[in-house]
């Protein structure tokens, strides 16, 4: 299952997805204008480089993107667009990166909700009482409120974005091996049904950049757990080693729910293979930044 996605160097995903856009890279003129504007309004000289899901592009009141490691202000090993506070980066730089992203996607950073992620199946419904400075401890966020951006952060795990256009509801999920095996994806779909009336047939779902079965080596006890839970297809054995494709588990769960393949997009960028573009906990030998999946109802 392979779908195209767009690497965007543009102001935001809507520009990138407009029919007339000739905009994979800025023209010299627009580059000059943006430089002048950046000097006038801030000292940032780069824009965050993001990947825009094609699946969401028809929806005008929705913004969604996955960040890369490019376009921020953090220094190595967090260079440069790290969005996580808990990894040892200078918090002032993390705030600047968040402000850059908020400016690109036209939201108030103080309204953005991220998570203290714990590799669980805990889901929290977000309303305007939540704030940027007090992220809840969980691994999935859902809301039907406009102008509350939801964010999942990752460095190898799969960030998942969900959109129900019928009920104007969104979700953001952090799913590594533990979360996937704990069925956080089907549980979040169920939670959206309970909270907003979402039918699984109404959903559009995007799996973001994550470590692939090409690079994610696991031990035999984890492999046994995957086999016992019915996910043998997610395992690959080669020269005495065993590798896991977490996305295969997630797609199997969506298949079990009979969600149409046309409503699923997989951004097949392995964060370890593409370590120049993404933070990877394994390829970067553990100390590194976090990319983010972002979704927002306007
Ligand atoms: Zn790989």
């Amino acid at each position: 299952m392979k779908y195209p996605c767009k690497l965007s160097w543009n102001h935001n995903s809507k520009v990138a997805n407009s029919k007339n856009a000739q905009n994979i890279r800025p023209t010299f003129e627009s580059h000059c204008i943006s430089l002048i504007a950046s000097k006038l309004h801030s000292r940032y000289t780069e824009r965050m480089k993001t990947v825009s899901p094609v699946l969401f592009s028809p929806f005008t009141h929705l913004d969604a993107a996955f960040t890369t490691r490019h376009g921020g202000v953090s220094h190595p090993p967090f260079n440069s667009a790290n969005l996580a506070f808990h990894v040892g980066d200078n918090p002032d730089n993390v705030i600047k990166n968040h402000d850059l992203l908020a400016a690109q996607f036209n939201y108030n950073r103080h309204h953005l909700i991220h998570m203290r992620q714990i590799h669980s199946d805990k889901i929290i419904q977000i309303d305007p009482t939540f704030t940027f400075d007090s992220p809840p401890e969980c691994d999935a966020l859902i809301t039907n409120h406009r102008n509350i951006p939801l964010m999942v952060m990752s460095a190898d795990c799969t960030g998942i974005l969900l959109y129900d256009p019928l009920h104007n509801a969104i979700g953001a999920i952090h799913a590594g091996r533990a979360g996937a095996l704990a069925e956080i994806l089907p549980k979040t779909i169920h939670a959206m049904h309970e909270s907003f009336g979402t039918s699984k047939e109404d959903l559009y779902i995007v799996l973001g950049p994550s470590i692939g079965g090409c690079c994610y080596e696991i031990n035999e006890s984890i492999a046994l757990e995957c086999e016992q839970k019915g996910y043998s297809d997610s395992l690959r054995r080669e020269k005495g080693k065993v590798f896991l494709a977490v996305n295969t588990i997630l797609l199997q769960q969506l298949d079990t729910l009979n969600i149409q393949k046309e409503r699923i997009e997989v951004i097949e960028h392995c964060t370890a293979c593409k370590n120049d573009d993404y933070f990877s906990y394994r390829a970067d030998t553990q100390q590194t930044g976090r990319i983010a999946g972002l979704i927002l109802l306007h």
Side-chain angles (χ1 to χ4, degrees):
M1 198 178 310
K2 195 165 189 174
Y3 298 87
C5 61
K6 295 177 181 178
L7 269 175
S8 166
W9 292 81
N10 303 292
H11 184 67
N12 61 37
S13 62
K14 281 180 184 156
V15 175
N17 292 328
S18 77
K19 288 179 180 172
N20 296 323
Q22 303 286 323
N23 50 20
I24 297 305
R25 287 175 184 274
T27 64
F28 178 73
E29 290 80 5
S30 68
H31 181 62
C32 290
I33 291 168
S34 72
L35 276 180
I36 292 166
S38 69
K39 284 184 179 174
L40 282 174
H41 298 297
S42 76
R43 59 196 180 88
Y44 307 135
T45 55
E46 270 197 275
R47 294 185 184 283
M48 294 283 231
K49 185 180 172 187
T50 59
V51 178
S52 304
V54 173
L55 195 65
F56 292 155
S57 60
F59 303 111
T60 54
H61 296 293
L62 182 77
D63 260 329
F66 292 91
T67 65
T68 68
R69 62 186 304 160
H70 302 301
V73 300
S74 294
H75 303 296
F78 311 107
N79 52 309
S80 61
N82 168 51
L83 291 160
F85 290 94
H86 69 284
V87 293
D89 194 0
N90 179 333
D92 291 340
N93 287 340
V94 181
I95 289 282
K96 287 171 190 168
N97 290 336
H98 273 281
D99 284 342
L100 263 176
L101 194 64
Q104 272 180 237
F105 287 91
N106 195 28
Y107 63 82
N108 183 334
R109 190 252 301 166
H110 297 282
H111 295 169
L112 178 130
I113 306 302
H114 52 113
M115 298 178 263
R116 284 187 287 125
Q117 298 167 178
I118 51 173
H119 297 280
S120 71
D121 60 354
K122 189 174 175 188
I123 302 153
I124 295 200
Q125 184 175 343
I126 298 300
D127 61 40
T129 63
F130 287 81
T131 64
F132 178 84
D133 294 325
S134 301
E137 187 176 272
C138 61
D139 287 277
L141 303 170
I142 57 174
T143 194
N144 60 353
H145 286 271
R146 297 187 185 280
N147 300 314
I148 300 182
L150 305 182
M151 176 175 281
V152 48
M153 298 191 206
S154 63
D156 288 341
C157 294
T158 305
I160 307 170
L161 304 179
L162 307 96
Y163 177 46
D164 167 9
L166 252 63
H167 300 88
N168 267 319
I170 56 176
I173 304 173
H174 168 246
R177 170 195 37 97
L181 290 175
E183 301 188 327
I184 191 166
L185 173 55
K187 287 176 181 174
T188 303
I189 293 170
H190 181 71
M192 290 181 72
H193 173 70
E194 295 282 304
S195 297
F196 313 126
T198 297
S199 301
K200 57 190 181 185
E201 294 81 11
D202 299 335
L203 276 170
Y204 292 83
I205 301 168
V206 178
L207 276 55
S210 63
I211 193 165
C214 42
C215 294
Y216 184 15
E217 185 180 353
I218 58 169
N219 61 37
E220 284 295 341
S221 69
I222 295 173
L224 182 63
E225 183 184 1
C226 293
E227 285 169 351
Q228 287 173 340
K229 291 188 171 176
Y231 300 116
S232 298
D233 289 349
S234 66
L235 303 173
R236 179 176 67 85
R237 294 179 187 278
E238 183 179 315
K239 296 177 182 172
K241 295 179 178 179
V242 57
F243 297 85
L244 171 64
V246 172
N247 280 357
T248 301
I249 296 175
L250 298 169
L251 291 171
Q252 186 174 326
Q253 291 168 346
L254 294 178
D255 188 54
T256 301
L257 291 175
N258 290 319
I259 291 179
Q260 296 175 39
K261 290 180 171 54
E262 294 73 22
R263 286 177 173 251
I264 304 166
E265 180 177 354
V266 181
I267 296 176
E268 292 186 325
H269 295 178
C270 170
T271 46
C273 289
K274 291 181 172 286
N275 187 217
D276 287 346
D277 289 328
Y278 298 103
F279 299 113
S280 170
Y281 186 76
R282 287 164 189 81
D284 288 318
T285 58
Q286 303 195 356
Q287 190 175 40
T288 189
R290 297 291 182 272
I291 61 166
L294 171 76
I295 189 162
L296 162 65
L297 290 168
H298 284 293

